[in-house]
Amino acid sequence: MELDSIECVSSSDGMIDDDEIPLHHPHIIHSQYSSSKTPNNNNNNINNSSSNNDGIAAIHSTTSVHELLECPVCTNSMYPPIHQCHNGHTICSTCKARAHNRCPTCRQELGDIRCLALEKVAESLELPCKYGSVGCPEIFPYYSKLKHESVCNFRPYSCPYAGSECSVVGDIPYLVSHLRDDHKVDMHSGCTFNHRYVKSNPREVENATWMLTVFNCFGQCFCLHFEAFQLGTAPVYMAFLRFMGDEMEARNYSYSLEVGGNGRKLTWEGTPRSIRDSHRKVRDSHDGLVIQRNMALFFSGGERKELKLRVTGRIWKEQQNPDGGACMPNLCT
């Protein structure tokens, strides 16, 4: 991994004037480190607690170095290149640019001085994943931690609503409540569905999601998407299912979709995609029931001037057959 390409990411994009930079805890890196010892008046406990003190000292040491690696401006962890001013105050690359190349602590010009000592110290650190509080047990070297956290199974999920660029993240129960309360998404219980989609002018396609419905079955939640979008020069309609959970869990389920009319029908059967995959990624991979406009209008009947599609489907859980080892569908009733 190219360490020079990894930078601290700040939540603010704008430039900040020197006087406006919030300074949380300035860090000073000197060429020599001094240490001091606190006298211990309780001599009777020295031998009994020496091993405990060693462990506590190690924890405090790691914590102190980790604090040194926090940018004093944005408080995010710093990754190479870590900059410092002539007085030894450190700052991350992102905040250095926002601070007009002025040290936010002493207001001296930063220049291009790298804090190579602190970068080297970081290489020796092993830190727990930041999602440890929600269940991740992993510990990683400092420079591998960021990469793991970007794909950690315990990281929060993004809102699966596709009608807008929603930035809300959270766990599944929170996102279900968010979809219901903020996006006004229809919620249904059961593993079968029968939806009718009507559009008065099927020639107008604006790459917008028509409908998102959430189904609760087998104690899990699934998102049913149905939308219109341009495929080349022709509009198409697509229905697909996403699982509100991780990819490995999604593989335990299957679903089928069916659309038809005038004595004809199209069917689709597959595995729901995890909401870890973005809505656009699933849609652009055509992983679902895709209906061309001419076929959709044929299914609609009448004079083919109004789109009327009925999409039916069901969700089931694959179960292992203890006799033959093959998977057997467990249908929701």
Side-chain angles (χ1 to χ4, degrees):
M1 177 167 57
E2 303 242 351
L3 299 183
D4 288 342
S5 66
I6 303 176
E7 296 184 357
C8 162
V9 179
S10 172
S11 60
S12 174
D13 295 328
M15 302 293 286
I16 299 179
D17 293 335
D18 291 345
D19 295 336
E20 296 177 349
I21 296 175
L23 193 62
H24 297 275
H25 41 77
H27 303 320
I28 303 175
I29 306 299
H30 297 290
S31 58
Q32 294 181 349
Y33 293 90
S34 61
S35 62
S36 60
K37 296 182 180 179
T38 303
N40 188 344
N41 295 327
N42 191 351
N43 294 327
N44 294 330
N45 293 331
I46 290 178
N47 293 332
N48 293 334
S49 62
S50 60
S51 59
N52 291 337
N53 288 339
D54 291 341
I56 293 172
I59 293 172
H60 287 174
S61 176
T62 301
T63 302
S64 299
V65 175
H66 188 213
E67 289 175 353
L68 286 175
L69 287 163
E70 286 184 359
C71 174
V73 177
C74 65
T75 71
N76 290 331
S77 296
M78 294 187 291
Y79 292 88
I82 299 174
H83 298 275
Q84 70 175 41
C85 71
H86 291 280
N87 293 324
H89 303 117
T90 57
I91 189 172
C92 72
S93 297
T94 301
C95 291
K96 176 178 181 285
R98 293 169 53 220
H100 305 282
N101 202 33
R102 290 281 177 182
C103 175
T105 304
C106 63
R107 301 297 189 263
Q108 296 297 312
E109 184 176 352
L110 285 167
D112 292 315
I113 304 175
R114 288 274 294 275
C115 187
L116 299 177
L118 191 55
E119 293 178 9
K120 194 69 176 176
V121 168
E123 291 181 1
S124 65
L125 289 183
E126 288 191 346
L127 299 172
C129 171
K130 71 177 181 180
Y131 301 119
S133 61
V134 291
C136 183
E138 302 294 342
I139 297 176
F140 292 90
Y142 185 79
Y143 291 131
S144 302
K145 178 174 174 283
L146 198 64
K147 182 178 180 180
H148 160 77
E149 289 171 350
S150 67
V151 296
C152 178
N153 288 335
F154 293 90
R155 72 191 188 278
Y157 295 89
S158 299
C159 173
Y161 192 76
S164 62
E165 295 297 328
C166 184
S167 60
V168 170
V169 297
D171 59 18
I172 298 303
Y174 175 79
L175 289 182
V176 171
S177 299
H178 165 68
L179 289 171
R180 181 189 62 236
D181 299 336
D182 298 330
H183 293 298
K184 310 303 180 185
V185 170
D186 288 335
M187 302 283 170
H188 296 275
S189 295
C191 300
T192 60
F193 42 88
N194 187 339
H195 282 336
R196 188 167 179 259
Y197 301 94
V198 179
K199 187 172 177 63
S200 59
N201 187 355
R203 299 184 183 279
E204 292 181 359
V205 177
E206 300 176 353
N207 290 327
T209 297
W210 283 15
M211 185 177 290
L212 169 63
T213 308
V214 174
F215 291 89
N216 188 322
C217 64
F218 299 110
Q220 305 288 346
C221 290
F222 301 82
C223 295
L224 175 64
H225 297 267
F226 186 85
E227 62 182 86
F229 63 97
Q230 290 286 149
L231 183 60
T233 58
V236 297
Y237 310 99
M238 183 175 178
F240 57 91
L241 196 72
R242 287 202 290 167
F243 174 73
M244 296 190 71
D246 283 318
E247 180 182 358
M248 291 299 294
E249 259 191 297
R251 294 174 182 173
N252 294 325
Y253 301 91
S254 297
Y255 75 103
S256 64
L257 296 172
E258 181 178 302
V259 62
N262 288 337
R264 278 87 170 171
K265 66 180 179 181
L266 288 176
T267 60
W268 165 267
E269 186 174 306
T271 301
R273 297 280 285 271
S274 166
I275 59 171
R276 292 288 193 203
D277 290 335
S278 69
H279 159 268
R280 183 175 293 275
K281 180 179 180 179
V282 179
R283 190 195 74 179
D284 291 349
S285 67
H286 304 163
D287 191 0
L289 177 63
V290 179
I291 313 159
Q292 302 294 331
R293 185 178 65 181
N294 288 338
M295 181 65 72
L297 291 174
F298 179 79
F299 288 154
S300 300
E303 297 180 359
R304 299 163 60 99
K305 294 181 179 180
E306 184 178 44
L307 183 69
K308 296 179 181 179
L309 288 178
R310 184 174 297 279
V311 177
T312 61
R314 62 186 178 92
I315 306 167
W316 65 91
K317 186 175 183 178
E318 301 288 354
Q319 285 191 329
Q320 196 74 19
N321 184 352
D323 296 328
C327 288
M328 298 176 62
N330 178 17
L331 302 180
C332 178
T333 56

mmCIF file of all heavy atoms in Angstrom, residues 107-135:
data_model
loop_
_atom_site.group_PDB
_atom_site.id
_atom_site.type_symbol
_atom_site.label_atom_id
_atom_site.label_comp_id
_atom_site.label_asym_id
_atom_site.label_seq_id
_atom_site.Cartn_x
_atom_site.Cartn_y
_atom_site.Cartn_z
ATOM 1 N N ARG A 107 0.831 29.709 14.495
ATOM 2 C CA ARG A 107 0.654 30.613 13.358
ATOM 3 C C ARG A 107 1.919 30.765 12.502
ATOM 4 O O ARG A 107 1.996 31.639 11.659
ATOM 5 C CB ARG A 107 0.196 32.010 13.810
ATOM 6 C CG ARG A 107 -1.131 32.007 14.575
ATOM 7 C CD ARG A 107 -2.262 31.505 13.692
ATOM 8 N NE ARG A 107 -3.561 31.699 14.317
ATOM 9 C CZ ARG A 107 -4.214 30.758 14.996
ATOM 10 N NH1 ARG A 107 -3.639 29.577 15.141
ATOM 11 N NH2 ARG A 107 -5.398 30.990 15.519
ATOM 12 N N GLN A 108 2.900 29.887 12.718
ATOM 13 C CA GLN A 108 4.087 29.922 11.880
ATOM 14 C C GLN A 108 3.819 29.200 10.568
ATOM 15 O O GLN A 108 2.926 28.357 10.462
ATOM 16 C CB GLN A 108 5.260 29.259 12.606
ATOM 17 C CG GLN A 108 5.693 29.968 13.873
ATOM 18 C CD GLN A 108 6.199 31.364 13.606
ATOM 19 O OE1 GLN A 108 7.017 31.578 12.708
ATOM 20 N NE2 GLN A 108 5.708 32.333 14.386
ATOM 21 N N GLU A 109 4.610 29.525 9.555
ATOM 22 C CA GLU A 109 4.456 28.868 8.260
ATOM 23 C C GLU A 109 4.840 27.395 8.392
ATOM 24 O O GLU A 109 5.853 27.049 9.004
ATOM 25 C CB GLU A 109 5.330 29.540 7.212
ATOM 26 C CG GLU A 109 5.137 28.957 5.816
ATOM 27 C CD GLU A 109 5.945 29.705 4.771
ATOM 28 O OE1 GLU A 109 6.517 30.749 5.101
ATOM 29 O OE2 GLU A 109 6.000 29.217 3.620
ATOM 30 N N LEU A 110 3.988 26.526 7.816
ATOM 31 C CA LEU A 110 4.219 25.089 7.932
ATOM 32 C C LEU A 110 5.325 24.596 7.009
ATOM 33 O O LEU A 110 6.124 23.742 7.369
ATOM 34 C CB LEU A 110 2.922 24.322 7.647
ATOM 35 C CG LEU A 110 1.879 24.348 8.757
ATOM 36 C CD1 LEU A 110 0.546 23.830 8.245
ATOM 37 C CD2 LEU A 110 2.343 23.495 9.936
ATOM 38 N N GLY A 111 5.360 25.101 5.809
ATOM 39 C CA GLY A 111 6.330 24.598 4.853
ATOM 40 C C GLY A 111 6.023 23.167 4.447
ATOM 41 O O GLY A 111 4.867 22.744 4.446
ATOM 42 N N ASP A 112 7.044 22.393 4.131
ATOM 43 C CA ASP A 112 6.864 21.000 3.710
ATOM 44 C C ASP A 112 7.678 20.055 4.586
ATOM 45 O O ASP A 112 8.328 19.128 4.102
ATOM 46 C CB ASP A 112 7.272 20.838 2.243
ATOM 47 C CG ASP A 112 6.328 21.552 1.299
ATOM 48 O OD1 ASP A 112 5.105 21.420 1.494
ATOM 49 O OD2 ASP A 112 6.801 22.256 0.395
ATOM 50 N N ILE A 113 7.611 20.272 5.890
ATOM 51 C CA ILE A 113 8.363 19.422 6.813
ATOM 52 C C ILE A 113 7.513 18.208 7.160
ATOM 53 O O ILE A 113 6.393 18.335 7.656
ATOM 54 C CB ILE A 113 8.724 20.184 8.099
ATOM 55 C CG1 ILE A 113 9.500 21.457 7.751
ATOM 56 C CG2 ILE A 113 9.539 19.295 9.036
ATOM 57 C CD1 ILE A 113 9.791 22.327 8.961
ATOM 58 N N ARG A 114 8.039 17.025 6.880
ATOM 59 C CA ARG A 114 7.349 15.776 7.226
ATOM 60 C C ARG A 114 7.755 15.362 8.629
ATOM 61 O O ARG A 114 8.929 15.436 8.992
ATOM 62 C CB ARG A 114 7.721 14.668 6.242
ATOM 63 C CG ARG A 114 7.138 14.810 4.857
ATOM 64 C CD ARG A 114 5.756 14.212 4.759
ATOM 65 N NE ARG A 114 5.760 12.772 4.933
ATOM 66 C CZ ARG A 114 5.992 11.904 3.942
ATOM 67 N NH1 ARG A 114 6.248 12.324 2.732
ATOM 68 N NH2 ARG A 114 5.944 10.590 4.195
ATOM 69 N N CYS A 115 6.788 14.885 9.398
ATOM 70 C CA CYS A 115 7.081 14.339 10.732
ATOM 71 C C CYS A 115 7.340 12.844 10.572
ATOM 72 O O CYS A 115 6.494 12.003 10.879
ATOM 73 C CB CYS A 115 5.931 14.605 11.689
ATOM 74 S SG CYS A 115 6.312 14.146 13.393
ATOM 75 N N LEU A 116 8.533 12.515 10.073
ATOM 76 C CA LEU A 116 8.867 11.131 9.777
ATOM 77 C C LEU A 116 8.936 10.280 11.031
ATOM 78 O O LEU A 116 8.627 9.087 11.000
ATOM 79 C CB LEU A 116 10.203 11.067 9.029
ATOM 80 C CG LEU A 116 10.235 11.789 7.666
ATOM 81 C CD1 LEU A 116 11.632 11.706 7.061
ATOM 82 C CD2 LEU A 116 9.210 11.181 6.728
ATOM 83 N N ALA A 117 9.298 10.880 12.158
ATOM 84 C CA ALA A 117 9.386 10.117 13.404
ATOM 85 C C ALA A 117 8.011 9.598 13.817
ATOM 86 O O ALA A 117 7.857 8.433 14.198
ATOM 87 C CB ALA A 117 9.973 10.995 14.504
ATOM 88 N N LEU A 118 7.003 10.461 13.744
ATOM 89 C CA LEU A 118 5.656 10.050 14.125
ATOM 90 C C LEU A 118 5.100 9.027 13.134
ATOM 91 O O LEU A 118 4.405 8.085 13.517
ATOM 92 C CB LEU A 118 4.735 11.267 14.195
ATOM 93 C CG LEU A 118 3.355 11.037 14.822
ATOM 94 C CD1 LEU A 118 3.494 10.443 16.213
ATOM 95 C CD2 LEU A 118 2.567 12.331 14.873
ATOM 96 N N GLU A 119 5.404 9.188 11.853
ATOM 97 C CA GLU A 119 4.968 8.213 10.857
ATOM 98 C C GLU A 119 5.595 6.849 11.142
ATOM 99 O O GLU A 119 4.945 5.809 10.980
ATOM 100 C CB GLU A 119 5.341 8.687 9.453
ATOM 101 C CG GLU A 119 4.589 9.932 8.995
ATOM 102 C CD GLU A 119 5.033 10.392 7.618
ATOM 103 O OE1 GLU A 119 5.797 9.651 6.955
ATOM 104 O OE2 GLU A 119 4.620 11.487 7.194
ATOM 105 N N LYS A 120 6.856 6.861 11.576
ATOM 106 C CA LYS A 120 7.542 5.602 11.874
ATOM 107 C C LYS A 120 6.960 4.960 13.122
ATOM 108 O O LYS A 120 6.775 3.731 13.186
ATOM 109 C CB LYS A 120 9.034 5.873 12.069
ATOM 110 C CG LYS A 120 9.889 4.622 12.057
ATOM 111 C CD LYS A 120 9.940 3.995 10.668
ATOM 112 C CE LYS A 120 10.874 2.795 10.645
ATOM 113 N NZ LYS A 120 10.862 2.125 9.322
ATOM 114 N N VAL A 121 6.639 5.767 14.134
ATOM 115 C CA VAL A 121 6.038 5.237 15.356
ATOM 116 C C VAL A 121 4.704 4.574 15.044
ATOM 117 O O VAL A 121 4.360 3.522 15.600
ATOM 118 C CB VAL A 121 5.854 6.360 16.396
ATOM 119 C CG1 VAL A 121 4.978 5.896 17.550
ATOM 120 C CG2 VAL A 121 7.216 6.804 16.930
ATOM 121 N N ALA A 122 3.945 5.178 14.136
ATOM 122 C CA ALA A 122 2.631 4.641 13.787
ATOM 123 C C ALA A 122 2.734 3.225 13.228
ATOM 124 O O ALA A 122 1.834 2.400 13.429
ATOM 125 C CB ALA A 122 1.939 5.556 12.783
ATOM 126 N N GLU A 123 3.842 2.926 12.545
ATOM 127 C CA GLU A 123 4.013 1.600 11.954
ATOM 128 C C GLU A 123 4.049 0.508 13.013
ATOM 129 O O GLU A 123 3.728 -0.652 12.733
ATOM 130 C CB GLU A 123 5.301 1.556 11.126
ATOM 131 C CG GLU A 123 5.254 2.406 9.865
ATOM 132 C CD GLU A 123 6.554 2.289 9.085
ATOM 133 O OE1 GLU A 123 7.448 1.538 9.525
ATOM 134 O OE2 GLU A 123 6.670 2.949 8.034
ATOM 135 N N SER A 124 4.450 0.848 14.235
ATOM 136 C CA SER A 124 4.587 -0.164 15.293
ATOM 137 C C SER A 124 3.303 -0.364 16.085
ATOM 138 O O SER A 124 3.240 -1.253 16.936
ATOM 139 C CB SER A 124 5.709 0.249 16.255
ATOM 140 O OG SER A 124 5.366 1.448 16.942
ATOM 141 N N LEU A 125 2.280 0.426 15.820
ATOM 142 C CA LEU A 125 1.053 0.355 16.608
ATOM 143 C C LEU A 125 0.105 -0.719 16.097
ATOM 144 O O LEU A 125 0.025 -0.967 14.901
ATOM 145 C CB LEU A 125 0.319 1.700 16.583
ATOM 146 C CG LEU A 125 0.931 2.874 17.341
ATOM 147 C CD1 LEU A 125 0.013 4.078 17.251
ATOM 148 C CD2 LEU A 125 1.157 2.506 18.798
ATOM 149 N N GLU A 126 -0.599 -1.337 17.019
ATOM 150 C CA GLU A 126 -1.727 -2.215 16.689
ATOM 151 C C GLU A 126 -2.931 -1.699 17.461
ATOM 152 O O GLU A 126 -2.876 -1.560 18.688
ATOM 153 C CB GLU A 126 -1.422 -3.670 17.052
ATOM 154 C CG GLU A 126 -0.399 -4.319 16.136
ATOM 155 C CD GLU A 126 -0.312 -5.818 16.356
ATOM 156 O OE1 GLU A 126 -0.847 -6.291 17.382
ATOM 157 O OE2 GLU A 126 0.277 -6.511 15.513
ATOM 158 N N LEU A 127 -4.007 -1.417 16.735
ATOM 159 C CA LEU A 127 -5.175 -0.783 17.342
ATOM 160 C C LEU A 127 -6.438 -1.563 17.027
ATOM 161 O O LEU A 127 -6.547 -2.187 15.958
ATOM 162 C CB LEU A 127 -5.317 0.652 16.831
ATOM 163 C CG LEU A 127 -4.155 1.599 17.137
ATOM 164 C CD1 LEU A 127 -4.349 2.918 16.410
ATOM 165 C CD2 LEU A 127 -4.032 1.827 18.632
ATOM 166 N N PRO A 128 -7.427 -1.547 17.908
ATOM 167 C CA PRO A 128 -8.696 -2.232 17.633
ATOM 168 C C PRO A 128 -9.509 -1.482 16.597
ATOM 169 O O PRO A 128 -9.374 -0.263 16.427
ATOM 170 C CB PRO A 128 -9.401 -2.221 18.997
ATOM 171 C CG PRO A 128 -8.825 -1.037 19.708
ATOM 172 C CD PRO A 128 -7.395 -0.934 19.253
ATOM 173 N N CYS A 129 -10.338 -2.206 15.893
ATOM 174 C CA CYS A 129 -11.253 -1.603 14.915
ATOM 175 C C CYS A 129 -12.172 -0.620 15.645
ATOM 176 O O CYS A 129 -12.593 -0.854 16.771
ATOM 177 C CB CYS A 129 -12.082 -2.703 14.249
ATOM 178 S SG CYS A 129 -13.429 -2.103 13.203
ATOM 179 N N LYS A 130 -12.487 0.476 14.999
ATOM 180 C CA LYS A 130 -13.325 1.491 15.646
ATOM 181 C C LYS A 130 -14.761 1.015 15.841
ATOM 182 O O LYS A 130 -15.539 1.656 16.549
ATOM 183 C CB LYS A 130 -13.320 2.789 14.843
ATOM 184 C CG LYS A 130 -14.058 2.756 13.510
ATOM 185 C CD LYS A 130 -14.032 4.135 12.887
ATOM 186 C CE LYS A 130 -14.767 4.173 11.562
ATOM 187 N NZ LYS A 130 -14.749 5.529 10.956
ATOM 188 N N TYR A 131 -15.117 -0.112 15.219
ATOM 189 C CA TYR A 131 -16.447 -0.681 15.417
ATOM 190 C C TYR A 131 -16.433 -1.774 16.486
ATOM 191 O O TYR A 131 -17.335 -2.597 16.556
ATOM 192 C CB TYR A 131 -16.991 -1.235 14.096
ATOM 193 C CG TYR A 131 -17.077 -0.177 13.021
ATOM 194 C CD1 TYR A 131 -16.348 -0.306 11.837
ATOM 195 C CD2 TYR A 131 -17.867 0.955 13.178
ATOM 196 C CE1 TYR A 131 -16.408 0.668 10.847
ATOM 197 C CE2 TYR A 131 -17.932 1.930 12.199
ATOM 198 C CZ TYR A 131 -17.201 1.785 11.035
ATOM 199 O OH TYR A 131 -17.262 2.748 10.066
ATOM 200 N N GLY A 132 -15.397 -1.769 17.332
ATOM 201 C CA GLY A 132 -15.323 -2.748 18.404
ATOM 202 C C GLY A 132 -16.479 -2.644 19.381
ATOM 203 O O GLY A 132 -16.916 -3.647 19.942
ATOM 204 N N SER A 133 -17.008 -1.439 19.566
ATOM 205 C CA SER A 133 -18.110 -1.254 20.517
ATOM 206 C C SER A 133 -19.396 -1.913 20.048
ATOM 207 O O SER A 133 -20.306 -2.133 20.846
ATOM 208 C CB SER A 133 -18.358 0.243 20.749
ATOM 209 O OG SER A 133 -18.717 0.886 19.544
ATOM 210 N N VAL A 134 -19.489 -2.226 18.745
ATOM 211 C CA VAL A 134 -20.685 -2.886 18.229
ATOM 212 C C VAL A 134 -20.407 -4.324 17.813
ATOM 213 O O VAL A 134 -21.221 -4.933 17.111
ATOM 214 C CB VAL A 134 -21.303 -2.089 17.055
ATOM 215 C CG1 VAL A 134 -21.893 -0.789 17.535
ATOM 216 C CG2 VAL A 134 -20.278 -1.853 15.939
ATOM 217 N N GLY A 135 -19.232 -4.854 18.215
ATOM 218 C CA GLY A 135 -19.017 -6.284 18.029
ATOM 219 C C GLY A 135 -17.774 -6.719 17.288
ATOM 220 O O GLY A 135 -17.441 -7.902 17.303
#
